[in-house]
Amino acid sequence: MYNYQLVYQVKPKKLSEMGFDSQSFVLIAGPCAVENEEDMKLYARFLLEHQIKYMRAGAFKPRTSPHTFQGLGYEALEILKRVKAETGIKIVTEITDYHDFPKYREFVDILQIGARNMQNFPLLKAVGKTDHPVILKRGFGNTVEEWLGAAEHILMEGNPNVILCERGIRTFETSTRNTLDLSSVALLKQLTKLPVIVDPSHATGRNDLIIPLSLASAACGADGIIVEIHTYPERAKSDAIQALTLEDASHLLQKIDTILPAIQKIRK
Ligand code: PEP
Ligand code: MN
């Protein structure tokens, strides 16, 4: 019997005010990376029209190969700041270096710690000293216990606003990019009071599997999903084949809306 005990069993108020409560399902969507300002405005408007309040997009992309697109960096942060000011969309973006926090502080609504940085303890401690909501993605080679330990590094510094994100782990299976471990979601809902969201995009690496796994995530107790979208997925500068077209993203939302009343009933 697995019985890791998270020491800091807090129920963060800030997150429940943001919709992370047992009855709602939070949607976060956007491209893998900020590629240009025009597209970011288009995505923001699309999401707001579909009642999605949070847009994800990376400025700094920790990629496996240094020869691939690494993100627009600080220029991307400036683009996100302007898009937020113009449209009102809330911003979710990855922080890779804690020295950069002052550049994120005033306009980033949710900080993301990427899978590759899940055990970057100086970064965890630094975001723990803020009260910014933090999405802590599971490392693709990390156990639930290691993931909770990482979360606790943030919580212990005083920041209760931690959102756990299952994004797939590495297994022997190669037909999907990673293996989505939905057991971890159901388990974490028992072990902690922290919200747990699922990233089916990085978990599968295939846009044709996003809809079924998003629905499965909602059914097994996830508090939300974070999904990649792109106007022309095949042209995306990073993570191309896993992005949903805007049309498919609309289908996903319709399907979530259909199953949500049943899921809310189950959760009562
Ligand atoms: C991302 O969200 O674009 C990303 C790089 O995710 P992960 O850290 O889970 O690989
Ligand atoms: Mn990505």
Side-chain angles (χ1 to χ4, degrees):
M1 167 77 177
Y2 186 80
N3 65 355
Y4 182 89
Q5 287 300 318
L6 192 73
V7 176
Y8 288 81
Q9 281 289 18
V10 283
K11 195 161 175 107
K13 191 161 164 269
K14 201 160 189 172
L15 296 183
S16 36
E17 281 166 1
M18 291 167 70
F20 291 95
D21 59 54
S22 58
Q23 282 309 298
S24 37
F25 193 69
V26 177
L27 297 159
I28 304 170
C32 181
V34 175
E35 296 180 358
N36 63 67
E37 186 155 348
E38 211 186 330
D39 283 352
M40 292 315 299
K41 283 187 193 155
L42 186 146
Y43 296 133
R45 296 207 174 95
F46 168 83
L47 297 175
L48 290 168
E49 272 164 25
H50 289 79
Q51 281 77 50
I52 298 183
K53 295 193 207 102
Y54 295 95
M55 179 168 71
R56 60 143 292 143
F60 296 91
K61 299 303 305 176
R63 307 289 303 284
T64 303
S65 164
H67 304 294
T68 55
F69 178 60
Q70 303 290 298
L72 298 180
Y74 298 119
E75 187 192 336
L77 293 183
E78 291 303 317
I79 291 175
L80 290 173
K81 201 191 287 182
R82 287 195 292 272
V83 173
K84 177 176 176 169
E86 202 176 306
T87 64
I89 194 94
K90 293 190 189 321
I91 303 293
V92 181
T93 195
E94 179 167 352
I95 182 163
T96 52
D97 182 338
Y98 70 83
H99 296 104
D100 288 338
F101 181 66
K103 293 200 167 62
Y104 286 65
R105 182 174 21 219
E106 76 214 66
F107 80 98
V108 174
D109 297 280
I110 309 183
L111 299 166
Q112 179 176 314
I113 304 269
R116 291 156 190 81
N117 270 319
M118 191 203 85
Q119 288 185 312
N120 179 338
F121 297 116
L123 182 61
L124 299 179
K125 288 196 168 112
V127 300
K129 289 190 170 66
T130 77
D131 74 341
H132 263 60
V134 180
I135 292 178
L136 178 63
K137 296 189 108 182
R138 179 182 187 177
F140 45 72
N142 288 109
T143 63
V144 166
E145 183 160 350
E146 288 161 347
W147 187 12
L148 286 173
E152 224 153 0
H153 277 271
I154 302 173
L155 299 170
M156 262 183 76
E157 296 298 322
N159 185 353
N161 301 303
V162 177
I163 303 156
L164 299 167
C165 177
E166 163 61 41
R167 47 77 73 212
I169 51 174
R170 190 163 280 175
T171 67
F172 59 81
E173 182 56 70
T174 52
S175 54
T176 49
R177 182 175 176 186
N178 292 285
T179 298
L180 179 57
D181 181 14
L182 284 182
S183 318
S184 78
V185 178
L187 178 61
L188 286 166
K189 293 308 293 177
Q190 290 180 26
L191 294 176
T192 96
K193 294 196 178 82
L194 299 173
V196 184
I197 63 171
V198 172
D199 172 350
S201 307
H202 293 86
T204 64
R206 296 175 53 134
N207 52 16
D208 56 348
L209 298 179
I210 307 301
I211 293 181
L213 292 177
S214 297
L215 300 176
S217 303
C220 78
D223 297 283
I225 47 171
I226 178 166
V227 171
E228 289 190 344
I229 60 170
H230 199 280
T231 35
Y232 298 101
E234 65 287 355
R235 292 191 213 158
K237 290 190 176 163
S238 53
D239 289 347
I241 45 168
Q242 68 190 38
L244 286 180
T245 59
L246 303 197
E247 197 186 346
D248 284 343
S250 300
H251 290 149
L252 167 63
L253 298 173
Q254 281 163 15
K255 294 198 177 182
I256 297 269
D257 276 351
T258 311
I259 64 158
L260 220 49
I263 284 169
Q264 282 156 342
K265 230 175 185 171
I266 296 169
R267 288 186 189 173
K268 271 185 190 148

